[in-house]
Amino acid sequence: MREEYQADLIEVSRLLVTMAEAVRAALRKATTALLTADLKAAEAVMERDAEVDAIYEQVEAKVADTIARQAPVAGDLRRVITALHISADLERMGDLAEHVAKTASRRHPSPAVPAELRPTFKQMAEVADLMAEKITALLQNPDVNAAAELEKQDDAIDDLERHLFKIMLDDDWPYGAETAIDGALLGRFYERYADHAVNIGEHVIYLITGEPVSSQS
Amino acid sequence: MREEYQADLIEVSRLLVTMAEAVRAALRKATTALLTADLKAAEAVMERDAEVDAIYEQVEAKVADTIARQAPVAGDLRRVITALHISADLERMGDLAEHVAKTASRRHPSPAVPAELRPTFKQMAEVADLMAEKITALLQNPDVNAAAELEKQDDAIDDLERHLFKIMLDDDWPYGAETAIDGALLGRFYERYADHAVNIGEHVIYLITGEPVSSQS
């Protein structure tokens, strides 16, 4: 029984790592689509989001099956329930990468983001990518310190988002309302992607320490 | 044992209904704050979001406790796991109401929304309020038809959001980038609030029929 339970947990972790790798690849490709007006890249991200959703449903089914068959309690139960939260965050990160890709595709062949904003989006995407890399590692190797570093990276994303707004709200902003709206929504997609990565870090901390997860807003 | 399990489920449902009522009240008050530049209303929403988060944690704890003590399987297990998803959606609806209130508070004493956009936001808020009312009822009285109606209301919200964009993207839009950015983000907050209500409807359908929940994007 115990051995079976461990095998179940390993299977759930394997699914979560696959999801984390997929949503990381999705945001990288969506950023390429955004910054180089690459329609093919945008379409690839939109097509592949269904794969992330499918793994999400596999995690759900596997967790329910594990609880039903193994009747875990205490820490064991906590681990499988935490897996559900993590998969929900990952599923949403996939959606947000898809939103970035959709915006790029909607504006194609024009670039969705004017030259003035591109360096900031490039930086946001780089930090978000490091965060996705970190959660992939964390899922394989839980580590309280690494989880706390996600908070700092999230602060960097928030600063970059503020910088975006500063550029768009300048009196000299030449692009009008439409481009500003796209810029603000895109900024929010990256910022929310990073928030979900922080949530995952908090879930991992909860898993290790048993300290409750603070609710993000 | 069976009786205890039923009592646990009733307690979880009671918590979910309390959350649903709270996030409904939060968006009503946030909308008042937004449309009448009412700082007190905005501050009340921001203060009370912690209450929703606290109930969310109670649901988590109660579900874990129920699974550990009662070891439910099949449909019973499905019900308690679905309660977790519903509470996560409700918690996020509370956050989104808080975002509306924060935007109103940040622009105070100016109104965050110019007169041209107010009728559309008023309508979005009205539909969102009906959706929140419906999920509160659904949680007490699961009904597949009522859950499907949420989809239609969500379409109405999407149409209203498109209408917002149409106004802001008109060549005659006189308010510049900042007001357009606020308008776009606020539109998204209402739209996401409605999406979570639809998710809850889908979870209720899953609960009743056992048909898997489609993943929202």
Side-chain angles (χ1 to χ4, degrees):
Chain A
M1 194 69 151
R2 186 73 201 166
E3 249 172 57
E4 263 181 47
Y5 173 71
Q6 289 301 339
D8 283 346
L9 275 194
I10 288 169
E11 170 65 9
V12 169
S13 298
R14 197 189 59 76
L15 290 169
L16 293 178
V17 170
T18 307
M19 274 183 99
E21 285 168 348
V23 305
R24 183 182 179 201
L27 191 67
R28 291 174 78 109
K29 206 179 262 282
T31 302
T32 300
L34 184 70
L35 298 181
T36 66
D38 179 340
L39 185 62
K40 248 188 175 159
E43 285 171 346
V45 174
M46 293 185 273
E47 277 159 26
R48 298 200 61 177
D49 188 54
E51 293 173 25
V52 173
D53 295 345
I55 311 175
Y56 174 66
E57 282 171 23
Q58 284 178 50
V59 172
E60 290 260 290
K62 186 76 198 164
V63 164
D65 177 63
T66 303
I67 293 177
R69 284 189 304 106
Q70 314 289 345
V73 294
D76 288 341
L77 178 58
R78 204 201 297 151
R79 287 175 76 180
V80 287
I81 289 182
T82 298
L84 283 184
H85 291 304
I86 292 173
S87 68
D89 280 311
L90 288 167
E91 193 266 337
R92 190 70 201 140
M93 288 168 80
D95 287 344
L96 290 161
E98 194 188 3
H99 288 344
V100 172
K102 272 187 188 159
T103 307
S105 138
R106 202 166 48 234
R107 296 285 169 244
H108 184 83
S110 305
V113 169
E116 287 88 334
L117 297 182
R118 256 172 256 162
T120 312
F121 275 109
K122 195 163 177 286
Q123 285 180 65
M124 284 182 101
E126 280 164 4
V127 180
D129 184 58
L130 289 174
M131 294 175 83
E133 183 184 28
K134 188 157 282 161
I135 58 173
T136 311
L138 265 177
L139 286 166
Q140 296 169 89
N141 231 327
D143 167 3
V144 174
N145 294 325
E149 282 166 27
L150 285 165
E151 286 275 7
K152 278 188 212 151
Q153 291 173 315
D154 189 48
D155 290 342
I157 294 267
D158 291 344
D159 286 344
L160 287 163
E161 194 189 17
R162 270 189 286 276
H163 185 64
L164 273 185
F165 276 75
K166 206 172 152 247
I167 299 172
M168 296 189 292
L169 299 180
D170 193 282
D171 288 340
D172 296 334
W173 173 253
Y175 299 102
E178 183 161 17
T179 306
I181 288 175
D182 272 351
L185 291 175
L186 284 164
R188 190 158 169 85
F189 299 150
Y190 283 94
E191 187 249 315
R192 290 294 301 151
Y193 185 97
D195 283 346
H196 286 286
V198 172
N199 284 354
I200 292 172
E202 288 176 349
H203 289 307
V204 175
I205 290 181
Y206 181 62
L207 205 62
I208 304 172
T209 66
E211 294 293 317
V213 176
S214 81
S215 193
Q216 282 266 322
S217 63
Chain B
M1 194 69 152
R2 188 71 203 168
E3 251 173 57
E4 263 181 47
Y5 173 71
Q6 289 301 339
D8 283 347
L9 276 194
I10 289 169
E11 170 66 9
V12 169
S13 297
R14 198 189 59 77
L15 290 169
L16 292 178
V17 170
T18 307
M19 275 183 97
E21 286 168 347
V23 305
R24 185 184 177 200
L27 191 66
R28 290 174 78 107
K29 207 179 260 284
T31 301
T32 301
L34 184 68
L35 298 181
T36 66
D38 179 340
L39 186 61
K40 249 189 175 156
E43 286 171 346
V45 174
M46 293 186 274
E47 277 160 26
R48 298 201 61 177
D49 189 55
E51 293 173 25
V52 173
D53 295 345
I55 311 175
Y56 174 66
E57 283 172 23
Q58 284 177 49
V59 173
E60 290 259 292
K62 186 75 198 163
V63 165
D65 177 63
T66 302
I67 294 176
R69 283 188 305 106
Q70 314 289 346
V73 293
D76 289 341
L77 178 58
R78 205 201 297 152
R79 288 176 77 181
V80 287
I81 290 181
T82 298
L84 284 183
H85 291 303
I86 292 173
S87 68
D89 280 310
L90 288 168
E91 192 266 336
R92 190 69 201 140
M93 287 168 81
D95 287 345
L96 290 161
E98 193 189 3
H99 288 344
V100 171
K102 271 187 188 159
T103 308
S105 139
R106 200 166 50 234
R107 296 285 168 244
H108 185 84
S110 304
V113 170
E116 287 88 333
L117 297 182
R118 255 172 257 162
T120 312
F121 275 110
K122 195 161 176 287
Q123 284 179 67
M124 284 182 102
E126 279 164 5
V127 180
D129 185 58
L130 289 174
M131 294 175 84
E133 184 185 27
K134 189 156 281 160
I135 57 173
T136 311
L138 265 177
L139 286 166
Q140 297 169 89
N141 232 326
D143 166 2
V144 173
N145 294 325
E149 282 166 28
L150 285 165
E151 285 275 6
K152 278 187 212 151
Q153 291 173 314
D154 189 47
D155 291 342
I157 294 266
D158 291 346
D159 286 344
L160 287 163
E161 194 189 17
R162 270 189 287 275
H163 185 64
L164 271 185
F165 276 74
K166 208 174 151 246
I167 300 172
M168 296 189 293
L169 298 180
D170 194 282
D171 288 340
D172 296 333
W173 173 254
Y175 299 102
E178 183 161 18
T179 306
I181 288 174
D182 272 350
L185 291 174
L186 284 164
R188 191 160 168 83
F189 299 150
Y190 283 94
E191 186 248 316
R192 291 294 301 150
Y193 185 97
D195 283 346
H196 287 285
V198 172
N199 284 354
I200 292 172
E202 289 177 346
H203 289 308
V204 174
I205 291 181
Y206 181 63
L207 205 61
I208 304 171
T209 66
E211 294 293 316
V213 176
S214 81
S215 193
Q216 281 267 320
S217 63

